[in-house]
Amino acid sequence: MPEFAISADPIFGTYALWVGTLLAIAGVILFVLGTLLKRDVSQVWLTYRGWLIMIPTLFGTVMLGRTASVLGVAALSVVSFKEFARATGLYKDWWHTCTVYLGIAGLAIATLLPDPTTGANGWHGLFRTMPVYVIALLMIIPVIRNKTDGQLQQVSLSIVGFAYMGWMFGHLGFLANSPHFHGYVAYLIFAVEINDIAAFTFGKAFGKHQLRSNVSPSKTVEGALGALAVAMALPWVLHFSFPHFGTTELILTGLIVGIGGQLGDLTLSFIKRDLGVKDMGQSIPGHGGFLDRVDSLIIVGPLFFHMDRWFHGI
Amino acid sequence: MEPWRYSPAADIDSTLPERFRSFPREPHLWMYVLRFVAALVMRTWVRIWHRLEIHGAEHLPQDGSFVLVCNHQSHLDMPCLGAALPISWIHRAFPAVAADYFFNNGPRSAFFAIMINALPFEREGDTDQSLQLCRELLQSDGNILMIFPEGTRSQSGSVGRFRSGIGRLVEGSDVLVVPCHLDGAHRAFPKGAVIPRPVKLKLRIGEPRDYSAHQTGRETVAQISRDLESAVRALGIGAPSKTQKYRARTPKNARNSPGRRLPGSRGSRDTVVMAPPVSIWIAGDVCDNPPVTNNDTLRRVRYAFDFSDSKMMQLFELGGREVSRAELSDWLKRDDNPDFQPCSDVVLATFLNGLIVDRRGRREGPQPEPETRLNNNLVLTKIKIALSLRSEDLVEILQLAAYGISQHELSAFFRRPGHRQFRECQDQILRRFLQGLQIKYRNQDPPPPTD
């Protein structure tokens, strides 16, 4: 698929228009609350400003085409892993962190290379087997360094870091090889955010039973079910994002976003609780770390990718 | 199975600009790479453009922490001193620089933190805390602190008077101090020049000095500063720096090593990285910082909220103690009044607990016992609770009293003692805070800026 501009892609244009309008409305509301009604909106304003920077960056990167999108996802992997490493203490071990960075670069290269047998965009075979090589490298580092103290912990954390923030998240980058990438990525990000908001709203309104009391005390069963209902309806509402999808794909998409998104959230929650940190970092003022922002996509991305690959062969 | 022990980065809750400004900084891979490149460029520049000559490099201690003390003539001093150290030491060599100038905005902090590994030194605010930071740095093994004790660049090229900070830093500690003298820098890069002239520079490094035998005291502080000043002067006129008074310790390996090979660097590139004027300034004196007594706190809180005597007595009662009007008035007297009675920790704690009950309502269940030992952190915490202050309010109150502090720094006061990030609240901060309370709650005019 050649690189195309936004004007040639009505799906993406529609999303850009919607999100732009939403941001504008939110901006006006914040302005009215803050300046005219003198309410304290500084915290919300910080979050809003974060979105103001993130959304154009996101749209811009995707618009620049396949290469930029793949590199963008790789860059997100790198900063997410960096946050993970800083939160666990792995960051002091430069051997392992550098190897993981190398692995993430390898994933980006495999995503960009053409498949040697079919000539199609993206060498999926290499992408799929990348963990083999990276894990092997990570495992032999203690041998090379002739060091044993705490090495099992370092290696294990690096493998989790690579597999989770590099490889699984990297599937979102591999999706850029699909001709329908614009619609997919716009839908996934939009749906995941809506899903978050729905879980929060339903939880606030009807929440009584804690979903996982130890992992994330604020999440409720009611919120999760409400979010799932919204997520199931959303593929039909936004069917224009993937006009080639049949009923099966639409149902699966709803399930993947509705369940996977919340699982991604909870997964990061348990990691943060075990580490004893509140956010994975303060990279984006008002939002916490990058990892706190992309947590849902880490599970949704690969599941959606494999669903799409199963039905439409990417 | 035992759970793993994680060690998250200490600055995990800080934003990037805060991370550059905080100290000690967490190791960062990209930062180290950039710093290495910057060091190469600076070394190449001073060696080729200024034909830097280094004498006495064998005096540099090979292990343990030490302080490098040098005269200050220009922005070139830092790269020249740096060039005297092996390049593998760059990440543990810290020049102390004025925090209010070199760390006053994000990009600048990032630049100096990355490029020269600068230690932000508070010249005006909390000098004691900065000195404490330097001491902690020197306590951990193998760190090098570079200090220019004149505090400002000399325009004539002569060595100016050394300020007392260096004396306060090393008195009674077993950290070695290495005096250095750089010659020619004021001609090579005078104040106001844009591009350094290709003037030859000479760096002489003297024998390490040891002040561990010196008892602490103001006399010693002045003596040490004078001694180092004369040592640097002596190096400047080419004389060997020898004083009988102080035992000059020979570095462990110096005898056997025939002078260490100096780190040279190849390749030439125009440098854009200029070192800043590095200065350590000790503003004011120890005596300008009298401790904040419990009576002070009591008086100032009363004044800030304009409490009457009966209101004060009522507050004490809420805290669980009946107090007579006479008792109260003795506590509130000035300390030069003969009837003055010192207010004990438990009395102040009772009062503050009463204030909390008054403002926030009584807690259910058993009432907290007033502490028998108070410290500034506790006082601050109690006032914070009583007035339901958020950290941004505290920052604002301190700002009213012309004291700038970040929420991040502030949060360290409210940690458990023994927590990694716990910091003791200095008297100065409590005093400013009480001042700020008066301004905020009594609408008093802020004090003139201290400059």
Side-chain angles (χ1 to χ4, degrees), chain B residues 55-74:
Chain B
H55 301 280
E58 70 277 5
H59 292 314
L60 292 172
Q62 294 298 304
D63 46 30
S65 294
F66 63 93
V67 181
L68 272 179
V69 161
C70 188
N71 62 325
H72 198 18
Q73 297 181 345
S74 78

Side-chain angles (χ1 to χ4, degrees), chain A residues 86-89 91 94 274 282, chain B residues 6-9 11 13-14 26 32:
Chain A
R86 276 172 55 81
T88 51
Y91 71 112
W94 291 355
D274 191 18
Q282 284 300 329
Chain B
Y6 303 106
S7 48
D11 52 6
D13 290 331
S14 319
E26 289 286 337
Y32 277 35

Side-chain angles (χ1 to χ4, degrees), chain A residues 59-144:
Chain A
F59 274 95
T61 315
V62 176
M63 261 167 60
L64 282 175
R66 184 175 80 102
T67 316
S69 306
V70 173
L71 293 180
V73 170
L76 268 179
S77 284
V78 167
V79 292
S80 302
F81 173 71
K82 172 97 202 167
E83 286 172 356
F84 176 74
R86 276 172 55 81
T88 51
L90 183 67
Y91 71 112
K92 284 180 185 144
D93 183 342
W94 291 355
W95 284 74
H96 282 109
T97 43
C98 282
T99 310
V100 173
Y101 290 144
L102 209 68
I104 292 172
L107 287 173
I109 292 169
T111 310
L112 290 172
L113 284 179
D115 192 315
T117 43
T118 62
N121 270 343
W123 188 353
H124 188 245
L126 181 61
F127 183 86
R128 214 166 39 183
T129 48
M130 192 60 77
V132 174
Y133 308 113
V134 178
I135 291 172
L137 265 179
L138 290 169
M139 292 296 288
I140 60 169
I141 285 175
V143 180
I144 296 173

Side-chain angles (χ1 to χ4, degrees), chain B residues 136-156:
Chain B
E136 277 163 24
L137 186 78
L138 291 169
Q139 265 160 21
S140 44
D141 206 32
N143 287 325
I144 302 146
L145 185 66
M146 305 180 191
I147 291 182
F148 298 83
E150 287 162 85
T152 186
R153 283 176 283 167
S154 148
Q155 308 222 22
S156 62

